[in-house]
Amino acid sequence: MEPESTPTQEATSGPAPAGLRYRVERDVYSEAQLDSEVLHRREHAPKSLCQRVNKHVRCSPERLKAAVQSLLPIVTWLPAYPVKDYLFGDLVSGLSTGVMQLPQGTFAVISLMIGGVAVREAPDSMFYVPGNGTNSTVLDVDARDARRVQLAVALTTLVGLIQLLLGVLRFGFVAIYLTEPLVRGFTTAAAVHVFISQLKYLLGIRTQRYSGPLSVLWSLGAVLQNITSTNLSTLLVGGVCMVFLYGVKEVNVRFKKKLPVPIPGEIIVVIMSTGISYGMSLFQNYQVAVVGKIPTGLLPPALPDHTLFSKVATDSVAIAIVSFSMGISLAKIFAMKHGYSVDGNQIAGLLSSLIVLLVVVAIGYVFEPLPQTVLAAIIMVNLQGMFKQLRDIPTLWRTSRIEFAIWIVAFVASVLLGLDYGLVVSISFAILTVIYRTQNPKSMILGQVPGSDLYYDVDKYEECAEISGIKIFHMNTSIYFANCELYVSALKQKTGVDPTVLLHVRKCREKKLRKTQETPPERKSIVVKLDVDKGVSHEIVCGAGVPLAVQANGQVSESYTDAVAEETDVLTAFLEREEAEQVYAIVLDFSPVNFIDSVGAKAIKSVVKEFAAVDVSVVIAGCSRTVLSQLRSLRFFGEVVTSDLVFPTIHDAVLHCRCRSLLLGQ
């Protein structure tokens, strides 16, 4: 029969989907019929191993161009760069970022991690030399700083090599495990690290540098412990800058449409505070800490000290991953905000790096009077966007408890353990939530929407009704070694049909019937007259296999009745319910199944055998072609299960089961 489809427009008002109907008349297909009658595979000549290898390793101009564009995305967008629209805004952003990077590094947290390694490997205690006095020692600052520079160079060299290697190996795929709740919790934790690290600069106090787990708590404790030594002049300068920056940001937001470009508040603050600091000699007169000497020019090129690589190798891996994660996390936040995608394998930060290079080579001395509290104020104000992500917590609590847990774990772990260990814990927890979801899927029995081929949860929608004698089982999971037993147990529980229990009860009933068909043993009774006046007599009844019982005036006592009835009630209750429901077919909805392994396939095949033993047929519906191919490769189909029992839709399976029931007279 040829399929016929006739779409018609029933109404012209209202949304279009509400007024559309379709009517299709076709045969009921099984997967075996589809393969033999409807679908025909395209013929592809088999490729040899050499051909397949050559496809991936051969070089052509097109592949070379694609590789270059992937590694250097600038060659893709630079020719089409809209100079008039973007150039000024990008210059302002690059200048602002570059100015902040002079004393802080690429990102404050990375600076803290690198500084922590340098302090650990070259502590002050290693550089005390004998002084002029008899027992006096003096800290050799130059030797200490030179050693720490060597350590930083070795560390950053390894970090760069690792990130370059990861880019070549296309390791950017790990970015898919950085889910939005994880990214937002992780970046909020990073903001906490940065904010606390800037408090001492804002207040003008000196504290010890801490790194590693719980470093945030130790740093905060040190600030609070020394808060009484706050430099009021430093706090005043930083506070004024913060108020000004907040005001500029508010103006930029409120008059966004009227301003041709945002007001560059950071650049204004840096220029004005540098001039005021130089003119008023804030460092000399008010002890306001400034950036200080910035070496001008570049040292002659030299290879890093390779003997230090072994000391910083572990730290370099952690910093490489954390810096990548920070960059990709921030990029994802802006990508989600502005609607574009991010390639985790590409490199960024060109303009701000050029600004740093320019300052180091030529104009570093200009920023030497810049107060450190001004930089702290700029950084703290710019963290407000990250702290606004705390608003995610109540929203996630209402919408998704699992994503709420991911956010909280990412935040707490990254704050307390540090961004390196916190990132590992966050990703591990996010992966565990995936496993948890597969171990706790939702299962349901589907019912038909009257007059349609739509099937939905009968417990959730009152319009959906179960089809008499057919149970349609749906479970939101794939079937593999970790959850196949869960799938089978949920199937038996939801359908109310357990072949093992059913077989046992039937055997017990058959055994009981055989016993009742045998001739009952002879019973003897003795009647004893106890109270003739009142007409009361007791009869003692006993016999082989029959418990001693007493009848009063011909009535069997309650204890005897209960003893006989108890044996039959338990054995027949299940059968009575099963016979009333008359389940003769079960449809397994495989539409949510993305994959199935050998253990899962064996479990399903075993289920088919079990239900067949109690005259309940099991069919599969909605199986994707990919899963169907997996089943074939796992040799799932054979004598027990054939492809004739697999159907493309639930409705095909239901019609098949009903037709088969009519033919068999069930």
Side-chain angles (χ1 to χ4, degrees):
M1 180 183 297
E2 293 294 329
E4 177 184 341
S5 178
T6 308
T8 59
Q9 181 72 35
E10 298 291 338
T12 57
S13 62
L20 289 176
R21 287 189 178 185
Y22 76 91
R23 181 171 59 253
V24 177
E25 183 178 345
R26 64 170 177 82
D27 292 338
V28 174
Y29 290 121
S30 66
E31 289 292 346
Q33 291 173 310
L34 283 176
D35 286 336
S36 62
E37 301 174 11
V38 179
L39 300 177
H40 303 284
R41 295 182 178 272
R42 297 181 183 275
E43 296 294 335
H44 295 284
K47 295 183 179 180
S48 65
L49 178 61
C50 293
Q51 290 175 321
R52 282 181 284 179
V53 172
N54 182 57
K55 178 181 178 182
H56 292 283
V57 301
R58 68 184 179 87
C59 184
S60 65
E62 292 78 12
R63 291 175 66 90
L64 179 61
K65 180 180 178 182
V68 171
Q69 290 177 342
S70 178
L71 291 175
L72 300 173
I74 188 174
V75 301
T76 302
W77 57 261
L78 186 58
Y81 183 78
V83 177
K84 293 182 179 180
D85 297 330
Y86 290 171
L87 181 60
F88 185 76
D90 287 346
L91 284 175
V92 171
S93 300
L95 286 171
S96 303
T97 307
V99 167
M100 285 191 294
Q101 284 180 340
L102 291 176
Q104 298 294 327
T106 304
F107 193 77
V109 173
I110 306 303
S111 298
L112 292 173
M113 296 177 71
I114 295 174
V117 175
V119 172
R120 184 193 69 205
E121 297 296 332
D124 291 347
S125 59
M126 291 177 58
F127 301 95
Y128 280 102
V129 295
N132 295 329
T134 306
N135 297 321
S136 64
T137 57
V138 178
L139 178 63
D140 190 346
V141 176
D142 293 336
R144 181 199 66 182
D145 291 347
R147 183 62 172 176
R148 290 180 177 178
V149 168
Q150 290 179 341
L151 285 164
V153 169
L155 180 60
T156 53
T157 299
L158 280 181
V159 169
L161 291 174
I162 291 171
Q163 290 192 336
L164 182 62
L165 177 63
L166 296 180
V168 171
L169 296 178
R170 320 303 292 168
F171 197 72
F173 76 90
V174 298
I176 64 175
Y177 295 104
L178 301 177
T179 64
E180 183 180 355
L182 188 152
V183 165
R184 296 174 75 86
F186 179 72
T187 52
T188 306
V192 172
H193 278 272
V194 176
F195 187 88
I196 292 177
S197 72
Q198 299 303 308
L199 283 175
K200 62 181 181 181
Y201 300 112
L202 181 69
L203 301 175
I205 59 178
R206 293 182 177 273
T207 62
Q208 181 183 345
R209 183 194 295 268
Y210 297 95
S211 61
L214 302 181
S215 60
V216 165
L217 300 182
W218 291 115
S219 299
L220 182 59
V223 170
L224 295 177
Q225 187 176 0
N226 295 277
I227 198 169
T228 54
S229 60
T230 298
N231 186 318
L232 295 180
S233 300
T234 301
L235 179 60
L236 178 62
V237 172
V240 171
C241 292
M242 291 183 72
V243 171
F244 175 78
L245 289 172
Y246 273 118
V248 169
K249 288 187 176 295
E250 186 66 24
V251 170
N252 285 337
V253 172
R254 184 167 297 184
F255 300 99
K256 181 179 180 180
K257 296 181 179 180
K258 296 182 179 180
L259 292 173
V261 293
I263 300 173
E266 291 82 4
I267 296 178
I268 295 174
V269 165
V270 167
I271 294 174
M272 291 184 62
S273 60
T274 301
I276 294 173
S277 175
Y278 178 78
M280 298 181 62
S281 300
L282 294 181
F283 175 67
Q284 292 82 2
N285 297 332
Y286 303 96
Q287 291 75 50
V288 175
V290 295
V291 171
K293 184 174 179 57
I294 299 177
T296 303
L298 296 176
L299 295 175
L303 293 175
D305 187 355
H306 63 86
T307 60
L308 300 176
F309 286 169
S310 59
K311 296 182 179 180
V312 298
T314 304
D315 301 286
S316 64
V317 174
I319 292 174
I321 294 175
V322 170
S323 60
F324 164 77
S325 302
M326 287 304 308
I328 199 68
S329 298
L330 294 173
K332 279 192 169 186
I333 290 174
F334 285 101
M336 287 183 286
K337 181 178 179 179
H338 298 289
Y340 59 85
S341 60
V342 176
D343 187 347
N345 295 305
Q346 294 178 343
I347 302 165
L350 176 62
L351 185 56
S352 58
S353 300
L354 291 176
I355 297 299
V356 173
L357 179 62
L358 173 65
V359 171
V360 170
V361 171
I363 59 173
Y365 66 92
V366 174
F367 297 98
E368 290 180 0
L370 176 62
Q372 292 182 358
T373 185
V374 174
L375 293 170
I378 293 173
I379 291 172
M380 287 179 166
V381 170
N382 281 281
L383 290 175
Q384 63 173 326
M386 296 298 175
F387 285 120
K388 286 181 179 180
Q389 296 177 149
L390 290 168
R391 300 172 182 172
D392 296 346
I393 296 177
T395 302
L396 291 175
W397 175 260
R398 293 190 299 267
T399 57
S400 173
R401 300 293 172 87
I402 291 180
E403 291 187 341
F404 166 83
I406 293 174
W407 200 105
I408 294 296
V409 168
F411 175 76
V412 174
S414 300
V415 167
L416 297 181
L417 302 179
L419 295 187
D420 45 0
Y421 296 114
L423 180 64
V424 173
V425 171
S426 304
I427 294 178
S428 301
F429 183 78
I431 294 174
L432 287 176
T433 60
V434 177
I435 299 175
Y436 170 79
R437 293 187 193 215
T438 63
Q439 293 297 305
N440 292 272
K442 182 177 177 59
S443 58
M444 62 195 75
I445 295 297
L446 304 183
Q448 184 182 23
V449 177
S452 74
D453 59 351
L454 304 176
Y455 295 83
Y456 297 102
D457 187 359
V458 295
D459 293 332
K460 189 173 183 180
Y461 302 104
E462 60 183 15
E463 293 84 3
C464 299
E466 290 190 55
I467 299 172
S468 178
I470 301 175
K471 295 286 185 179
I472 306 170
F473 179 73
H474 175 100
M475 194 171 190
N476 295 319
T477 182
S478 296
I479 306 172
Y480 62 109
F481 69 94
N483 70 346
C484 58
E485 293 184 3
L486 178 68
Y487 187 94
V488 173
S489 61
L491 168 64
K492 294 176 180 179
Q493 179 185 1
K494 283 291 184 178
T495 59
V497 181
D498 190 334
T500 305
V501 176
L502 190 58
L503 283 173
H504 176 72
V505 173
R506 286 184 177 179
K507 287 180 181 179
C508 291
R509 186 176 68 170
E510 291 174 0
K511 184 177 180 180
K512 180 174 177 59
L513 289 175
R514 286 197 301 269
K515 286 184 178 180
T516 57
Q517 290 175 357
E518 297 176 358
T519 304
E522 182 181 356
R523 300 181 181 182
K524 298 179 181 179
S525 63
I526 302 173
V527 180
V528 181
K529 300 290 186 179
L530 297 179
D531 196 334
V532 180
D533 295 335
K534 294 184 179 181
V536 177
S537 63
H538 285 217
E539 180 181 7
I540 300 175
V541 182
C542 60
V546 180
L548 183 66
V550 178
Q551 292 182 342
N553 284 348
Q555 299 296 321
V556 180
S557 67
E558 227 176 85
S559 61
Y560 180 73
T561 305
D562 292 342
V564 175
E566 184 178 0
E567 181 182 1
T568 59
D569 289 345
V570 175
L571 297 177
T572 58
F574 180 83
L575 283 175
E576 289 177 355
R577 186 184 68 178
E578 190 272 336
E579 289 172 356
E581 293 181 354
Q582 295 179 345
V583 176
Y584 58 83
I586 293 176
V587 178
L588 303 181
D589 181 13
F590 264 37
S591 58
V593 178
N594 294 320
F595 69 92
I596 187 169
D597 65 0
S598 60
V599 179
K602 289 178 182 177
I604 298 300
K605 186 180 289 188
S606 176
V607 163
V608 175
K609 286 183 181 179
E610 286 185 48
F611 280 95
V614 292
D615 301 324
V616 177
S617 63
V618 178
V619 299
I620 298 173
C623 185
S624 69
R625 308 301 292 182
T626 301
V627 175
L628 196 61
S629 177
Q630 292 174 354
L631 292 174
R632 289 194 178 100
S633 63
L634 293 171
R635 301 182 183 276
F636 177 77
F637 299 110
E639 296 180 0
V640 178
V641 184
T642 65
S643 56
D644 290 322
L645 298 179
V646 182
F647 299 88
T649 68
I650 295 177
H651 203 54
D652 284 286
V654 169
L655 293 177
H656 165 83
C657 294
R658 295 181 68 177
C659 182
R660 182 174 178 273
S661 171
L662 293 174
L663 292 175
L664 296 177
Q666 291 181 328

